[in-house]
Amino acid sequence: MLGGSHARDEQLPGSDVDLGLYYRAPLDVAALGAVVREVAGAGATVSRPGEWGPWVDGGAWLRLAGGAVDLIYRDLDRVRRAWSDARGGRYAFHTQAGHPLGVPDFAYAGEVALGVVLADPTGELSALKAELAEYPPALAVALREGLWEASFLVDVAHKAVARRDTTYVAGCLFRAFLLCAHAIHGHAGRWLVNEKGAITAADRLPGAPEGFSARCHGVLAELGTGTETLEQALDTATVVVRDVVKNVHRRSR
């Protein structure tokens, strides 16, 4: 499956090509490695499942004539479990290197919904994509209700102002704004599977308050290290979060 920005026609010059390899355990890594070396050269290697972490799983970083290609494993049974949880309004963000907010388990389902099937000998991947045609309403509700954490993070960040702890404040605001982006996407019935570009993408959707992206980026850009600038940033962030809460609740009725 073609994934990432190329599947959504949002790629930038130099963007890697993401290829999802959907499998059922056990994955024949030796056979896969032989195929990869035929395509990418004798020095190309593939990882074992789980070697890249519990949620990225594994794959290969390949350099081809057309540019960089990321081959990424996805256990199909695990994808189906994530889809079942999403339909039930259950989700969590999971710690994973390279993902500062955490990988949302529903991203596995979202990747299929947003991806382009390239090869599907059994037809199962295409059938699953068809199931994912409608964004699960229960997940939208759960993401909206999860905004309590965004409000809490902005409130608790005030305790760090007297210490001039800009790093802590920035961390709280980063997570709060990304939770808002997820809630906005859920409200609009759109999958969000990556932190990169999430704020800008949310700004284009129904439910985003006016100037959402500019306000979020502006707050983080102007934090400074003084108590006055930190308090001003938190005051602005409080209004942003309140606007998101108000919008997604009002328009969901």
Side-chain angles (χ1 to χ4, degrees):
M1 175 170 279
L2 176 67
S5 59
H6 282 83
R8 302 188 299 272
D9 199 25
E10 298 174 353
Q11 69 274 15
L12 299 174
S15 292
D16 293 354
V17 175
D18 294 330
L19 293 178
L21 176 63
Y22 289 77
Y23 72 96
R24 280 205 167 84
L27 177 64
D28 191 339
V29 175
L32 177 62
V35 172
V36 165
R37 285 187 290 276
E38 287 181 11
V39 174
T45 61
V46 298
S47 76
R48 299 183 305 277
E51 191 172 339
W52 288 0
W55 286 92
V56 173
D57 199 356
W61 291 308
L62 308 176
R63 296 296 304 184
L64 304 179
V69 175
D70 296 337
L71 182 67
I72 303 170
Y73 301 157
R74 288 292 182 260
D75 183 328
L76 192 53
D77 290 326
R78 196 174 187 190
V79 173
R80 285 196 170 277
R81 289 194 296 273
W83 171 226
S84 177
D85 284 342
R87 283 180 294 169
R90 299 180 297 275
Y91 74 92
F93 295 100
H94 302 272
T95 300
Q96 175 71 53
H99 295 266
L101 177 66
V103 175
D105 36 34
F106 58 78
Y108 275 13
E111 288 170 342
V112 176
L114 298 172
V116 178
V117 177
L118 301 177
D120 186 19
T122 68
E124 186 172 1
L125 195 54
S126 297
L128 178 58
K129 182 174 174 62
E131 288 183 36
L132 286 153
E134 181 181 354
Y135 189 94
L139 180 59
V141 172
L143 290 169
R144 183 178 72 232
E145 293 177 347
L147 285 172
W148 72 266
E149 185 184 352
S151 300
F152 174 79
L153 284 164
V154 175
D155 287 343
V156 77
H158 282 281
K159 296 184 178 181
V161 171
R163 300 184 181 90
R164 299 184 178 183
D165 192 345
T166 301
T167 301
Y168 180 80
V169 173
C172 289
L173 294 182
F174 164 80
R175 186 173 178 89
F177 291 157
L178 264 292
L179 291 172
C180 288
H182 274 285
I184 292 168
H185 274 78
H187 173 71
R190 304 286 186 88
W191 293 99
L192 178 58
V193 300
N194 198 313
E195 296 107 327
K196 289 182 289 187
I199 299 297
T200 300
D203 196 32
R204 298 191 290 263
L205 297 176
E210 185 175 355
F212 175 70
S213 178
R215 291 157 75 187
C216 291
H217 291 316
V219 166
L220 290 170
E222 301 295 335
L223 280 178
T225 57
T227 58
E228 184 176 350
T229 58
L230 291 173
E231 283 290 0
Q232 289 174 347
L234 290 174
D235 288 344
T236 301
T238 297
V239 176
V240 171
V241 173
R242 285 178 181 170
D243 286 349
V244 172
V245 171
K246 179 177 62 178
N247 282 9
V248 300
H249 277 81
R250 181 179 66 233
R251 297 178 187 182
S252 65
R253 292 171 185 166

